[in-house]
Short mmCIF file of all heavy atoms in Angstrom, two decimals:
data_model
loop_
_atom_site.label_atom_id
_atom_site.label_comp_id
_atom_site.label_asym_id
_atom_site.label_seq_id
_atom_site.Cartn_x
_atom_site.Cartn_y
_atom_site.Cartn_z
N LYS A 18 5.40 -5.57 19.06
CA LYS A 18 5.98 -6.87 18.72
C LYS A 18 6.70 -7.48 19.92
O LYS A 18 6.54 -8.65 20.26
CB LYS A 18 6.99 -6.70 17.57
CG LYS A 18 6.59 -7.45 16.33
CD LYS A 18 7.58 -7.21 15.20
CE LYS A 18 6.84 -6.63 14.00
NZ LYS A 18 7.57 -5.70 13.20
N LEU A 19 7.52 -6.64 20.59
CA LEU A 19 8.26 -7.12 21.76
C LEU A 19 7.31 -7.55 22.88
O LEU A 19 7.50 -8.58 23.51
CB LEU A 19 9.22 -6.03 22.26
CG LEU A 19 10.41 -5.70 21.35
CD1 LEU A 19 11.10 -4.41 21.78
CD2 LEU A 19 11.41 -6.86 21.37
N LEU A 20 6.27 -6.75 23.07
CA LEU A 20 5.29 -7.08 24.13
C LEU A 20 4.53 -8.35 23.79
O LEU A 20 4.21 -9.16 24.66
CB LEU A 20 4.28 -5.95 24.27
CG LEU A 20 4.45 -4.93 25.38
CD1 LEU A 20 3.19 -4.10 25.50
CD2 LEU A 20 4.80 -5.56 26.72
N SER A 21 4.27 -8.51 22.48
CA SER A 21 3.54 -9.68 22.03
C SER A 21 4.31 -10.96 22.35
O SER A 21 3.74 -11.95 22.82
CB SER A 21 3.27 -9.53 20.53
OG SER A 21 3.19 -10.75 19.89
N SER A 22 5.64 -10.94 22.15
CA SER A 22 6.37 -12.17 22.47
C SER A 22 6.53 -12.32 23.98
O SER A 22 6.50 -13.44 24.50
CB SER A 22 7.71 -12.26 21.73
OG SER A 22 8.53 -11.23 22.12
N TYR A 23 6.63 -11.21 24.70
CA TYR A 23 6.71 -11.27 26.16
C TYR A 23 5.43 -11.86 26.77
O TYR A 23 5.47 -12.69 27.68
CB TYR A 23 6.97 -9.86 26.71
CG TYR A 23 6.95 -9.74 28.21
CD1 TYR A 23 7.93 -10.35 29.00
CD2 TYR A 23 5.98 -8.97 28.84
CE1 TYR A 23 7.92 -10.22 30.38
CE2 TYR A 23 5.96 -8.82 30.22
CZ TYR A 23 6.93 -9.44 30.99
OH TYR A 23 6.91 -9.30 32.34
N LEU A 24 4.29 -11.46 26.23
CA LEU A 24 3.01 -11.89 26.79
C LEU A 24 2.42 -13.12 26.10
O LEU A 24 1.39 -13.65 26.52
CB LEU A 24 1.98 -10.74 26.70
CG LEU A 24 2.25 -9.51 27.55
CD1 LEU A 24 1.33 -8.36 27.16
CD2 LEU A 24 2.07 -9.84 29.03
N SER A 25 3.08 -13.54 25.00
CA SER A 25 2.56 -14.66 24.18
C SER A 25 1.12 -14.45 23.73
O SER A 25 0.28 -15.35 23.87
CB SER A 25 2.66 -15.99 24.94
OG SER A 25 3.97 -16.24 25.28
N ILE A 26 0.85 -13.26 23.27
CA ILE A 26 -0.47 -12.98 22.66
C ILE A 26 -0.22 -12.32 21.31
O ILE A 26 0.81 -11.67 21.12
CB ILE A 26 -1.38 -12.09 23.57
CG1 ILE A 26 -0.63 -10.82 24.02
CG2 ILE A 26 -1.91 -12.87 24.74
CD1 ILE A 26 -1.51 -9.83 24.79
N PRO A 27 -1.15 -12.48 20.34
CA PRO A 27 -0.89 -11.96 18.99
C PRO A 27 -0.79 -10.43 18.90
O PRO A 27 -1.47 -9.71 19.64
CB PRO A 27 -2.09 -12.44 18.18
CG PRO A 27 -2.86 -13.34 19.04
CD PRO A 27 -2.42 -13.18 20.45
N HIS A 28 0.09 -10.02 18.02
CA HIS A 28 0.24 -8.60 17.69
C HIS A 28 -0.62 -8.33 16.47
O HIS A 28 -0.32 -8.80 15.38
CB HIS A 28 1.74 -8.35 17.39
CG HIS A 28 2.02 -7.01 16.78
ND1 HIS A 28 3.05 -6.81 15.89
CD2 HIS A 28 1.41 -5.81 16.93
CE1 HIS A 28 3.08 -5.55 15.51
NE2 HIS A 28 2.09 -4.92 16.13
N LEU A 29 -1.72 -7.59 16.66
CA LEU A 29 -2.61 -7.31 15.53
C LEU A 29 -2.30 -5.92 14.98
O LEU A 29 -2.86 -4.92 15.45
CB LEU A 29 -4.07 -7.38 15.97
CG LEU A 29 -4.59 -8.68 16.55
CD1 LEU A 29 -6.08 -8.57 16.84
CD2 LEU A 29 -4.34 -9.84 15.59
N SER A 30 -1.40 -5.88 14.02
CA SER A 30 -1.08 -4.60 13.39
C SER A 30 -1.94 -4.47 12.14
O SER A 30 -1.80 -5.25 11.20
CB SER A 30 0.41 -4.57 13.01
OG SER A 30 0.61 -3.67 11.93
N THR A 31 -2.84 -3.47 12.15
CA THR A 31 -3.73 -3.34 10.98
C THR A 31 -2.92 -2.95 9.73
O THR A 31 -3.24 -3.36 8.63
CB THR A 31 -4.88 -2.33 11.23
OG1 THR A 31 -4.33 -1.14 11.80
CG2 THR A 31 -5.92 -2.93 12.14
N GLY A 32 -1.83 -2.19 9.93
CA GLY A 32 -0.96 -1.86 8.80
C GLY A 32 -0.37 -3.12 8.18
O GLY A 32 -0.39 -3.30 6.96
N ASP A 33 0.14 -4.03 9.03
CA ASP A 33 0.72 -5.29 8.53
C ASP A 33 -0.35 -6.15 7.84
O ASP A 33 -0.10 -6.75 6.79
CB ASP A 33 1.32 -6.13 9.69
CG ASP A 33 2.65 -5.54 10.17
OD1 ASP A 33 3.18 -4.62 9.51
OD2 ASP A 33 3.15 -6.00 11.22
N ILE A 34 -1.54 -6.21 8.45
CA ILE A 34 -2.62 -7.03 7.86
C ILE A 34 -2.97 -6.49 6.47
O ILE A 34 -3.10 -7.23 5.50
CB ILE A 34 -3.86 -7.05 8.79
CG1 ILE A 34 -3.52 -7.76 10.11
CG2 ILE A 34 -5.05 -7.73 8.10
CD1 ILE A 34 -4.59 -7.63 11.20
N LEU A 35 -3.09 -5.15 6.37
CA LEU A 35 -3.42 -4.55 5.07
C LEU A 35 -2.29 -4.78 4.06
O LEU A 35 -2.55 -5.11 2.91
CB LEU A 35 -3.69 -3.05 5.22
CG LEU A 35 -4.99 -2.68 5.95
CD1 LEU A 35 -5.02 -1.19 6.29
CD2 LEU A 35 -6.21 -3.02 5.09
N ARG A 36 -1.04 -4.62 4.52
CA ARG A 36 0.09 -4.83 3.59
C ARG A 36 0.11 -6.27 3.07
O ARG A 36 0.43 -6.51 1.92
CB ARG A 36 1.43 -4.47 4.27
CG ARG A 36 1.76 -2.97 4.19
CD ARG A 36 3.13 -2.64 4.74
NE ARG A 36 3.19 -2.78 6.19
CZ ARG A 36 2.75 -1.85 7.05
NH1 ARG A 36 2.26 -0.72 6.60
NH2 ARG A 36 2.81 -2.05 8.35
N SER A 37 -0.26 -7.22 3.93
CA SER A 37 -0.25 -8.61 3.45
C SER A 37 -1.35 -8.82 2.40
O SER A 37 -1.22 -9.66 1.52
CB SER A 37 -0.39 -9.59 4.62
OG SER A 37 -1.70 -9.57 5.09
N LYS A 38 -2.43 -8.04 2.50
CA LYS A 38 -3.51 -8.16 1.49
C LYS A 38 -3.06 -7.63 0.13
O LYS A 38 -3.61 -8.02 -0.90
CB LYS A 38 -4.76 -7.40 1.95
CG LYS A 38 -5.45 -8.07 3.11
CD LYS A 38 -6.87 -7.59 3.26
CE LYS A 38 -7.55 -8.20 4.47
NZ LYS A 38 -7.72 -9.65 4.39
N LEU A 39 -2.09 -6.73 0.13
CA LEU A 39 -1.64 -6.14 -1.13
C LEU A 39 -1.05 -7.19 -2.06
O LEU A 39 -1.08 -7.05 -3.28
CB LEU A 39 -0.58 -5.05 -0.89
CG LEU A 39 -1.03 -3.82 -0.10
CD1 LEU A 39 0.09 -2.80 -0.01
CD2 LEU A 39 -2.25 -3.18 -0.75
N ASN A 40 -0.51 -8.26 -1.48
CA ASN A 40 0.10 -9.32 -2.31
C ASN A 40 -0.93 -10.11 -3.10
O ASN A 40 -0.60 -10.83 -4.03
CB ASN A 40 0.87 -10.31 -1.42
CG ASN A 40 1.98 -9.59 -0.68
OD1 ASN A 40 2.54 -8.63 -1.20
ND2 ASN A 40 2.29 -10.04 0.52
N GLU A 41 -2.22 -9.99 -2.68
CA GLU A 41 -3.24 -10.80 -3.36
C GLU A 41 -3.54 -10.31 -4.78
O GLU A 41 -4.10 -11.03 -5.58
CB GLU A 41 -4.52 -10.83 -2.51
CG GLU A 41 -4.31 -11.65 -1.24
CD GLU A 41 -5.40 -11.46 -0.19
OE1 GLU A 41 -6.50 -10.97 -0.52
OE2 GLU A 41 -5.13 -11.79 0.99
N LYS A 42 -3.14 -9.07 -5.07
CA LYS A 42 -3.25 -8.50 -6.43
C LYS A 42 -4.64 -8.61 -7.05
O LYS A 42 -4.78 -8.84 -8.25
CB LYS A 42 -2.22 -9.16 -7.38
CG LYS A 42 -0.78 -9.01 -6.94
CD LYS A 42 -0.19 -7.68 -7.37
CE LYS A 42 1.19 -7.46 -6.79
NZ LYS A 42 1.42 -6.26 -6.07
N ASP A 43 -5.70 -8.51 -6.23
CA ASP A 43 -7.05 -8.48 -6.79
C ASP A 43 -7.53 -7.02 -6.84
O ASP A 43 -6.77 -6.10 -6.56
CB ASP A 43 -7.99 -9.37 -5.98
CG ASP A 43 -7.95 -9.03 -4.50
OD1 ASP A 43 -7.38 -7.97 -4.15
OD2 ASP A 43 -8.47 -9.81 -3.69
N GLU A 44 -8.82 -6.85 -7.16
CA GLU A 44 -9.35 -5.50 -7.35
C GLU A 44 -9.21 -4.66 -6.07
O GLU A 44 -8.82 -3.51 -6.10
CB GLU A 44 -10.82 -5.61 -7.75
CG GLU A 44 -11.28 -4.46 -8.63
CD GLU A 44 -12.73 -4.67 -9.04
OE1 GLU A 44 -13.06 -5.78 -9.50
OE2 GLU A 44 -13.50 -3.74 -8.84
N ILE A 45 -9.55 -5.31 -4.94
CA ILE A 45 -9.50 -4.59 -3.66
C ILE A 45 -8.06 -4.18 -3.33
O ILE A 45 -7.81 -3.06 -2.89
CB ILE A 45 -10.08 -5.46 -2.51
CG1 ILE A 45 -11.57 -5.66 -2.74
CG2 ILE A 45 -9.83 -4.83 -1.15
CD1 ILE A 45 -12.26 -6.57 -1.76
N SER A 46 -7.13 -5.09 -3.59
CA SER A 46 -5.75 -4.78 -3.22
C SER A 46 -5.19 -3.62 -4.05
O SER A 46 -4.37 -2.84 -3.56
CB SER A 46 -4.86 -6.02 -3.32
OG SER A 46 -4.62 -6.33 -4.65
N ILE A 47 -5.67 -3.48 -5.28
CA ILE A 47 -5.21 -2.35 -6.10
C ILE A 47 -5.71 -1.04 -5.52
O ILE A 47 -4.98 -0.05 -5.42
CB ILE A 47 -5.66 -2.54 -7.58
CG1 ILE A 47 -4.92 -3.76 -8.17
CG2 ILE A 47 -5.39 -1.30 -8.42
CD1 ILE A 47 -5.51 -4.30 -9.45
N LYS A 48 -6.96 -1.05 -5.05
CA LYS A 48 -7.52 0.15 -4.40
C LYS A 48 -6.76 0.46 -3.11
O LYS A 48 -6.40 1.60 -2.83
CB LYS A 48 -9.00 -0.07 -4.07
CG LYS A 48 -9.92 0.28 -5.20
CD LYS A 48 -11.36 0.27 -4.71
CE LYS A 48 -12.29 0.07 -5.91
NZ LYS A 48 -13.51 -0.66 -5.56
N LEU A 49 -6.53 -0.61 -2.32
CA LEU A 49 -5.81 -0.43 -1.05
C LEU A 49 -4.43 0.17 -1.30
O LEU A 49 -4.00 1.09 -0.60
CB LEU A 49 -5.62 -1.78 -0.34
CG LEU A 49 -6.82 -2.38 0.37
CD1 LEU A 49 -6.43 -3.71 1.01
CD2 LEU A 49 -7.33 -1.43 1.44
N GLN A 50 -3.77 -0.37 -2.29
CA GLN A 50 -2.41 0.07 -2.64
C GLN A 50 -2.38 1.58 -2.88
O GLN A 50 -1.52 2.29 -2.36
CB GLN A 50 -1.96 -0.66 -3.90
CG GLN A 50 -0.70 -0.14 -4.55
CD GLN A 50 0.51 -0.95 -4.12
OE1 GLN A 50 0.37 -2.12 -3.85
NE2 GLN A 50 1.65 -0.31 -4.04
N SER A 51 -3.36 2.07 -3.64
CA SER A 51 -3.31 3.49 -3.99
C SER A 51 -3.62 4.36 -2.76
O SER A 51 -3.02 5.41 -2.57
CB SER A 51 -4.21 3.78 -5.20
OG SER A 51 -5.41 4.32 -4.79
N ILE A 52 -4.54 3.90 -1.90
CA ILE A 52 -4.85 4.68 -0.68
C ILE A 52 -3.64 4.69 0.25
O ILE A 52 -3.22 5.73 0.75
CB ILE A 52 -6.06 4.07 0.07
CG1 ILE A 52 -7.32 4.12 -0.80
CG2 ILE A 52 -6.30 4.81 1.39
CD1 ILE A 52 -8.49 3.31 -0.25
N MET A 53 -3.07 3.51 0.47
CA MET A 53 -1.98 3.41 1.44
C MET A 53 -0.72 4.11 0.97
O MET A 53 -0.02 4.75 1.76
CB MET A 53 -1.69 1.94 1.76
CG MET A 53 -2.82 1.31 2.57
SD MET A 53 -2.65 -0.46 2.72
CE MET A 53 -1.25 -0.58 3.82
N SER A 54 -0.42 4.01 -0.32
CA SER A 54 0.83 4.64 -0.77
C SER A 54 0.71 6.16 -0.77
O SER A 54 1.72 6.86 -0.76
CB SER A 54 1.26 4.11 -2.14
OG SER A 54 0.28 4.39 -3.07
N SER A 55 -0.53 6.68 -0.73
CA SER A 55 -0.68 8.14 -0.65
C SER A 55 -0.64 8.63 0.80
O SER A 55 -0.58 9.82 1.06
CB SER A 55 -2.00 8.57 -1.30
OG SER A 55 -3.08 8.08 -0.52
N GLY A 56 -0.72 7.69 1.74
CA GLY A 56 -0.66 8.07 3.15
C GLY A 56 -2.03 8.33 3.75
O GLY A 56 -2.16 8.74 4.89
N ASN A 57 -3.09 8.09 2.95
CA ASN A 57 -4.45 8.30 3.47
C ASN A 57 -4.96 7.06 4.21
O ASN A 57 -4.34 5.99 4.15
CB ASN A 57 -5.39 8.64 2.32
CG ASN A 57 -5.13 10.05 1.82
OD1 ASN A 57 -5.16 11.02 2.58
ND2 ASN A 57 -4.82 10.17 0.53
N LEU A 58 -6.10 7.24 4.89
CA LEU A 58 -6.64 6.12 5.67
C LEU A 58 -7.59 5.26 4.81
O LEU A 58 -8.35 5.78 4.00
CB LEU A 58 -7.41 6.64 6.89
CG LEU A 58 -6.58 7.35 7.96
CD1 LEU A 58 -7.46 7.80 9.11
CD2 LEU A 58 -5.47 6.44 8.49
N VAL A 59 -7.53 3.98 5.04
CA VAL A 59 -8.43 3.03 4.38
C VAL A 59 -9.80 3.14 5.07
O VAL A 59 -9.89 3.56 6.23
CB VAL A 59 -7.84 1.60 4.53
CG1 VAL A 59 -8.78 0.54 4.00
CG2 VAL A 59 -6.48 1.53 3.83
#
Side-chain angles (χ1 to χ4, degrees):
K18 242 178 238 147
L19 291 167
L20 261 192
S21 151
S22 62
Y23 175 67
L24 293 169
S25 302
I26 52 174
H28 168 212
L29 301 183
S30 155
T31 47
D33 285 350
I34 295 170
L35 290 169
R36 275 185 289 280
S37 74
K38 290 198 183 295
L39 297 183
N40 299 328
E41 290 166 18
K42 301 276 173 234
D43 53 12
E44 210 178 310
I45 293 176
S46 73
I47 293 164
K48 273 190 202 148
L49 283 180
Q50 168 97 31
S51 100
I52 298 169
M53 289 170 71
S54 60
S55 66
N57 288 304
L58 294 180
V59 174

